[in-house]
Amino acid sequence: MSKTERITVAYGDGIGPEIMDATIRIMDAAEVGLAYDVIEIGEKVYKSGHKSGISPESWETLRNNPVFLKAPITTPQGGGYKSLNVTIRKSLGLFSNVRPFRSYPPYVPSNFPNMDVVIVRENEEDLYAGIEHQQTSEVVQTLKLISEPGSEKIVRYAFEYAKAYNRKKVTCMTKDNIMKHSDGMFHKVFNEIAKEYPDIEADHWIIDIGSAVVAARPESLDVVVTLNLYGDVISDIAAEVAGSVGMAGSANIGMNHAMFEAIHGSAPDIAGKNMANPSGLLNGACMMLVQLGKADKAELIQNAWLKTLEDGIHTGDIYRAQRSVEKVGTKEFADAIIERLGQKPSKLKPVQYEENVKISIDVKEKPAKKKDLVGVDVFIDWRGESRDANEIGDKLLNEASTDKLKLKLISNRGVLVYPNGMPETFKTDHWRCRFTNPEGEVLQNGDVIELLNKVEATGFDFIKTEHLYHFDGERGYSLSQGE
């Protein structure tokens, strides 16, 4: 008899209660040995005054139980509401989002009958840090934050996943031809870690052509590891290519906690109509059972699910008259799976897990690098009548430069406009003014403060600064045209 373990469950919003009820009925029929602590999250909690969509009491339950099975929720529009998914992932340190995608032809139509790819997405960093500022009347900034230890954790997890599940290749996807420092660091970490796994093939795609590969040649991929935003996008592409977004489950894995869910949303338009396909959440629950050391129960359930698909018993989203036998609702689909517990598919490939598969990673803190301040970018909010870069440039060069910091260049939206800018270049009210030491001397913060005092004295409105550093002698900032 399986050991009984407590997990946290949230029924969510929209179709959430229906698909969670179906999933739990199937798990209970399979005698998976789980007890459920139910919490309320989502729309009602948001509207009761909790901007994050979860109450302090529910946080305690989540912290006490290492595993969380979550149905989709609805985040109200506007009003400063925060994404609950992002909040939970970050608060509990769920750094790895694992999404397997497999095609099930001919029962679920797909042009790629042998598709079997796993996307491992970094879950805590990137643009999903959610740090945004409006800096001028015309310009808003979003910070993209990528850390070396965060990159190492997710890349190492991807290789360990591939090793644990006998996968042959790990593909990294970035945009480091443009973002040479952020994405470049991720790619560099990938290359370094790949050397530790000589039995696993490693390759890299730029994300735009990589996305095209996911859409057009997914069978050439095995395990894909990528940054947060890219992983979010290509996961939905992969789900559609495999046949249906409604089929895919998702695991969010941390060092001490894990959350499992479907990748689709709450679909309020069909809520309460017994129409929803519970397969995504059910597959997420099976990933949870493997995580809990109950691989035999995950096998039992997923093989019964495959047999149900094979027998042509389909919910409306995948029902097709020419190949389906019966169109059923959420409850009836769950009943059909329960009836088939103990059976295996004869045409689709049966699921088989190894017992007690554990993935563990160890990321050691590295010594801090030697950091030298070599310059500063001062961002200025300025319009001027003609937005003439020579006007702002000449004044800053002649009136704001100090003995230690001289104006080197000005860019506008990343395009060089001073010196020797082109008059055709479109300019906003957001100017990046780079000051450096002509002799290459190491600077102090006091040198920057002196500069800012002089900039203020010129009457220009400086809105932010970014210090320019060398780390262990290597440049830690992007170059502009002309540098």
Side-chain angles (χ1 to χ4, degrees):
M1 190 73 178
S2 297
K3 174 187 173 185
T4 298
E5 298 191 47
R6 301 200 73 82
I7 68 166
T8 303
V9 166
Y11 281 75
D13 301 314
I15 62 172
E18 297 166 84
I19 63 173
M20 181 63 77
D21 180 69
T23 298
I24 288 179
R25 283 203 300 118
I26 294 165
M27 290 197 298
D28 287 348
E31 298 181 344
V32 298
L34 294 178
Y36 312 111
D37 292 331
V38 178
I39 62 172
E40 186 167 8
I41 59 173
E43 191 169 30
K44 289 181 182 178
V45 183
Y46 279 118
K47 292 182 176 179
S48 70
H50 297 283
K51 291 289 186 181
S52 62
I54 184 170
S55 69
E57 298 78 17
S58 295
W59 273 122
E60 284 303 311
T61 304
L62 285 178
R63 280 194 286 263
N64 289 335
N65 295 337
V67 170
F68 179 29
L69 182 62
K70 184 185 78 65
I73 64 161
T74 300
T75 302
Q77 296 295 308
Y81 298 110
K82 298 178 181 178
S83 166
L84 177 58
N85 267 4
V86 173
T87 299
I88 291 173
R89 289 167 183 166
K90 289 183 176 182
S91 299
L92 297 180
L94 309 181
F95 66 91
S96 178
N97 182 221
V98 182
R99 295 182 171 185
F101 299 97
R102 178 181 163 192
S103 56
Y104 305 97
Y107 310 102
V108 181
S110 172
N111 292 325
F112 306 100
N114 298 313
M115 179 179 176
D116 184 5
V117 61
V118 177
I119 295 175
V120 179
R121 164 192 171 195
E122 198 287 318
N123 224 11
E124 299 178 287
E125 301 185 340
D126 199 1
L127 295 167
Y128 287 61
I131 302 173
E132 298 184 294
H133 305 91
Q134 179 149 5
Q135 298 184 327
T136 69
S137 295
E138 297 175 346
V139 174
V140 176
Q141 172 188 270
T142 299
L143 293 183
K144 175 178 175 124
L145 299 177
I146 308 296
S147 74
E148 189 172 12
S151 299
E152 183 177 349
K153 275 196 301 184
I154 192 64
V155 170
R156 196 169 291 283
Y157 185 92
F159 276 98
E160 286 294 325
Y161 182 98
K163 182 180 175 181
Y165 289 98
N166 298 312
R167 297 276 178 161
K168 305 303 180 186
K169 182 172 70 172
V170 178
T171 299
C172 175
M173 293 190 184
T174 70
K175 189 66 175 173
D176 64 341
N177 59 328
I178 301 298
M179 287 166 281
K180 300 179 186 297
H181 288 270
S182 54
D183 286 32
M185 180 170 63
F186 191 92
H187 189 183
K188 180 182 177 182
V189 168
F190 175 82
N191 287 342
E192 290 171 350
I193 291 176
K195 296 173 185 175
E196 301 176 27
Y197 299 85
D199 296 332
I200 299 174
E201 182 184 350
D203 63 359
H204 172 267
W205 287 98
I206 296 298
I207 186 61
D208 38 7
I209 189 63
S211 300
V213 171
V214 174
R217 290 187 283 119
E219 292 165 319
S220 69
L221 300 169
D222 196 349
V223 175
V224 176
V225 62
T226 190
L227 298 100
N228 204 339
L229 176 63
Y230 308 148
D232 198 3
V233 174
I234 66 172
S235 291
D236 281 359
I237 295 173
E240 278 297 321
V241 168
S244 173
V245 171
M247 307 287 279
S250 172
N252 300 271
I253 307 295
M255 296 296 196
N256 301 303
H257 292 81
M259 177 174 71
F260 300 86
E261 56 188 343
I263 74 166
H264 59 73
S266 59
D269 56 319
I270 60 169
K273 298 179 180 179
N274 193 37
M275 293 172 60
N277 186 344
S279 296
L281 186 60
L282 184 64
N283 282 320
C286 288
M287 296 173 75
M288 174 189 73
L289 293 173
V290 173
Q291 176 83 4
L292 289 169
K294 299 173 182 286
D296 58 330
K297 298 299 184 181
E299 264 186 39
L300 179 70
I301 292 171
Q302 283 193 298
N303 281 325
W305 172 72
L306 290 172
K307 183 71 167 102
T308 304
L309 291 181
E310 198 174 79
D311 288 346
I313 301 175
H314 299 159
T315 49
D317 58 319
I318 60 173
Y319 177 85
R320 300 293 183 274
Q322 63 271 27
R323 66 174 179 276
S324 301
V325 174
E326 183 180 359
K327 182 178 179 181
V328 296
T330 312
K331 295 176 182 176
E332 294 75 22
F333 188 67
D335 291 337
I337 295 171
I338 291 169
E339 288 172 9
R340 287 162 177 77
L341 288 171
Q343 299 181 38
K344 293 184 178 181
S346 58
K347 297 175 184 176
L348 292 170
K349 182 181 178 181
V351 172
Q352 185 173 4
Y353 293 109
E354 292 184 18
E355 288 290 339
N356 300 316
V357 173
K358 296 293 182 185
I359 300 174
S360 60
I361 61 169
D362 182 23
V363 177
K364 294 182 172 62
E365 185 174 352
K366 297 178 181 178
K369 297 177 181 178
K370 182 176 182 292
K371 184 172 75 170
D372 294 321
L373 179 63
V374 297
V376 63
D377 284 343
V378 180
F379 291 78
I380 288 176
D381 180 355
W382 180 76
R383 292 195 175 196
E385 289 189 11
S386 61
R387 303 199 186 192
D388 182 357
N390 292 315
E391 180 181 344
I392 182 174
D394 289 345
K395 189 168 187 178
L396 286 172
L397 180 64
N398 296 322
E399 299 181 27
S401 294
T402 68
D403 291 339
K404 292 291 185 72
L405 285 163
K406 307 290 185 186
L407 180 68
K408 185 174 185 180
L409 60 87
I410 299 175
S411 69
N412 194 292
R413 298 184 306 153
V415 180
L416 179 71
V417 294
Y418 179 91
N420 304 319
M422 297 177 64
E424 293 85 358
T425 301
F426 175 76
K427 306 174 192 71
T428 70
D429 56 2
H430 188 271
W431 308 79
R432 182 188 64 162
C433 308
R434 175 159 291 180
F435 291 83
T436 59
N437 183 277
E439 307 302 322
E441 297 178 24
V442 174
L443 305 169
Q444 305 298 321
N445 284 335
D447 298 323
V448 176
I449 294 171
E450 180 186 0
L451 171 69
L452 293 178
N453 283 330
K454 295 197 71 174
V455 171
E456 183 181 30
T458 64
F460 287 117
D461 177 19
F462 65 85
I463 51 177
K464 66 168 283 189
T465 62
E466 290 286 352
H467 288 194
L468 309 179
Y469 291 107
H470 286 172
F471 291 88
D472 286 346
E474 292 189 9
R475 175 174 47 84
Y477 53 91
S478 58
L479 294 178
S480 296
Q481 296 167 279
E483 286 192 273

